[in-house]
Amino acid sequence: MTDQELQELVEKGTAPESRDARAYQTAFSALRREPDFVLPANFADRVVASIQARYSSRDMAWFIGGVFLFLVALVVAMLLTGFTPSLGVFTFLSGYPGLVAFGAAFILALQWVDRKWIRKTAL
């Protein structure tokens, strides 16, 4: 007799007397009873808050570590390549001030539309 057949016979009350049948009957009777404890009303909120606190501190540690390593890599790259900072690469922008202003305004407008209508902030 398979486990499925034994379960069906126990549920019907016509199971043969055996140790497995008694085990199923004990398990089914325990499952029928309601638990005798009640969770507090704010249980789910406390669980979510503890998860958020744990992950936010871990995320902040990874972020700080990543920024630190990025700065170390930047300094090493600058020292190894003999980099000298200058703004000469941006001289082409001086001929297009309207385009630069339009680009900045367009990006800001897209961000505003995204926050206002597309992704409403939670909470």
Side-chain angles (χ1 to χ4, degrees):
M1 179 178 309
T2 66
D3 284 340
Q4 184 68 28
E5 293 170 344
L6 183 58
Q7 286 178 19
E8 290 172 3
L9 289 175
V10 168
E11 287 174 355
K12 292 177 187 175
T14 60
E17 192 61 35
S18 70
R19 188 171 42 177
D20 290 337
R22 282 193 307 272
Y24 276 117
Q25 288 170 346
T26 304
F28 290 152
S29 66
L31 290 173
R32 281 189 204 103
R33 287 186 306 228
E34 288 289 325
D36 56 350
F37 65 94
V38 178
L39 293 175
N42 64 346
F43 177 76
D45 295 332
R46 288 188 353 218
V47 169
V48 169
S50 69
I51 291 171
Q52 285 176 340
R54 182 173 27 162
Y55 283 112
S56 66
S57 63
R58 186 185 308 165
D59 289 344
M60 186 56 72
W62 278 107
F63 176 72
I64 290 171
V67 168
F68 176 73
L69 289 176
F70 173 75
L71 291 175
V72 167
L74 178 69
V75 168
V76 167
M78 288 172 69
L79 291 175
L80 290 177
T81 60
F83 176 75
T84 55
S86 71
L87 297 177
V89 296
F90 296 111
T91 55
F92 75 92
L93 292 178
S94 64
Y96 304 102
L99 181 62
V100 172
F102 172 76
F106 186 70
I107 290 172
L108 289 174
L110 285 177
Q111 289 295 323
W112 179 76
V113 166
D114 183 47
R115 293 234 183 220
K116 184 79 173 171
W117 288 299
I118 296 175
R119 275 191 277 156
K120 299 236 182 215
T121 56
L123 300 175

